[in-house]
Amino acid sequence: AIQLTQSPSSLSASVGDRVTITCRASQGFSNALAWYQQKPGKAPKLLIYDASSLENGVPSRFSGSGSGTDFTLTISSLQPEDFGTYYCQQFNSYPLTFGGGTKVEIK
Amino acid sequence: QVQLVQSGAEVKKPGASVKVSCKASGYTFTGYYMHWVRQAPGQGLEWMGIINPGGGTTTYAQKFQGRVTMTRDTSTSTAYMELSSLRSEDTAVYYCANDYYYDSSGYSSLRHWGQGTLVTVSS
C-alpha cells in the first residue's frame, strides 16, 4: 500500500499568511492525489482533485501542485474560515490511502 | 443537487453486526463507484472499500476482508455497508462517498460525501 506522510501535523498561522502543507508518498505516481478539508463534526470536503484542479466552489486561494512523491497544498492568504484538518489522499492504486492529517489553527 | 443521506447512529455489542445505508439522489447512481471510509474518534480517515453500483462488484481493504460486505439496491439508489464481528476498535463514524468521474472504476477522488453514521461498539 502507498503510504502518505503529511507535514506538519499541525500549524498555527495568522489571517493573511501563506500556508503550505506537504504530502509525501512512499512510491511515486502522476497526479492521482486529492486534498480535503474537514471541520469538527463534519464530513470531509473535497478541495483539490487530480493534484492541482480546484473543485467547483472552492476559493481560489487554495491550490495544489506536485507529482511523483511530493505534493503540496497551498493557501495563499489564510482566512478565519480555513481552520480545520486537511488530508491528502491517493487514488493511484488500491487500497486508497489518506495522509495522517494537518490541523490548521488561526492565531 | 447530489445528496448522499446515511442512516442513523447505531449502538452495538461486541460480536454483533451493523449495516449502514447510504441513499443517493441527484445523479446516476449506477455510474459512479461508491466508497466507504471510516474515522475513529480523534483519528484520521481510513478507506474500507468500494462498490460498483452498476455491476455490484466490490474491492475491500485487506484489513476488512472477511468482515465487511458492501451491497447496493439499484431500485432505491442505496448502497449498504455491513461490518460483522464488531469490536470496540470499530467504534467510528462511517462515511459513504462517490467517485469524481463517471465510470472511473474507483481510481478517483471522493467528490460527494454522506453526513456520516456513528457506530458505537460497547458492552
Side-chain angles (χ1 to χ4, degrees):
Chain A
I2 297 176
Q3 296 182 9
L4 299 178
T5 303
Q6 283 184 236
S7 60
S9 56
S10 65
L11 66 91
S12 180
S14 300
V15 172
D17 283 353
R18 182 181 183 87
V19 169
T20 299
I21 299 170
T22 297
C23 179
R24 177 159 290 174
S26 60
Q27 54 187 274
F29 49 86
S30 181
N31 67 338
L33 191 104
W35 289 95
Y36 304 87
Q37 176 195 63
Q38 186 179 34
K39 296 194 174 183
K42 299 295 187 181
K45 172 188 174 183
L46 178 65
L47 300 176
I48 302 289
Y49 63 98
D50 297 349
S52 61
S53 297
L54 189 68
E55 172 64 339
N56 293 341
V58 175
S60 59
R61 63 181 179 272
F62 291 93
S63 64
S65 64
S67 67
T69 59
D70 294 316
F71 299 86
T72 300
L73 174 71
T74 300
I75 308 173
S76 61
S77 177
L78 191 68
Q79 298 302 301
E81 61 268 29
D82 296 337
F83 74 93
T85 302
Y86 292 79
Y87 295 94
C88 58
Q89 174 237 332
Q90 67 80 21
F91 49 93
N92 180 76
S93 61
Y94 290 149
L96 305 193
T97 49
F98 293 87
T102 296
K103 186 174 183 178
V104 174
E105 296 180 334
I106 310 296
K107 280 184 185 174
Chain B
Q1 74 283 20
V2 173
Q3 280 195 302
L4 300 176
V5 179
Q6 298 184 222
S7 49
E10 303 261 15
V11 179
K12 296 292 183 181
K13 294 193 182 302
S17 298
V18 67
K19 191 171 186 177
V20 178
S21 68
C22 171
K23 184 171 177 58
S25 62
Y27 72 100
T28 304
F29 176 68
T30 52
Y32 296 80
Y33 282 55
M34 189 75 79
H35 303 253
W36 289 89
V37 174
R38 77 177 187 179
Q39 185 171 38
Q43 302 301 308
L45 301 167
E46 181 175 32
W47 185 79
M48 300 180 69
I50 190 171
I51 183 167
N52 173 7
T57 54
T58 55
T59 298
Y60 303 137
Q62 187 171 10
K63 175 176 180 177
F64 301 102
Q65 287 273 4
R67 282 209 302 144
V68 70
T69 304
M70 296 177 187
T71 58
R72 94 290 188 223
D73 181 344
T74 57
S75 69
T76 60
S77 297
T78 303
Y80 300 91
M81 186 285 299
E82 184 171 20
L83 189 63
S84 62
S85 302
L86 290 169
R87 36 211 187 225
S88 59
E89 309 90 89
D90 295 317
T91 294
V93 176
Y94 290 77
Y95 294 102
C96 59
N98 65 1
D99 265 2
Y100 196 97
Y101 294 111
Y102 181 88
D103 197 25
S104 59
S105 301
Y107 294 99
S108 170
S109 52
L110 280 53
R111 190 173 198 184
H112 300 105
W113 293 65
Q115 83 276 19
T117 296
L118 175 62
V119 175
T120 303
V121 183
S122 174
S123 54

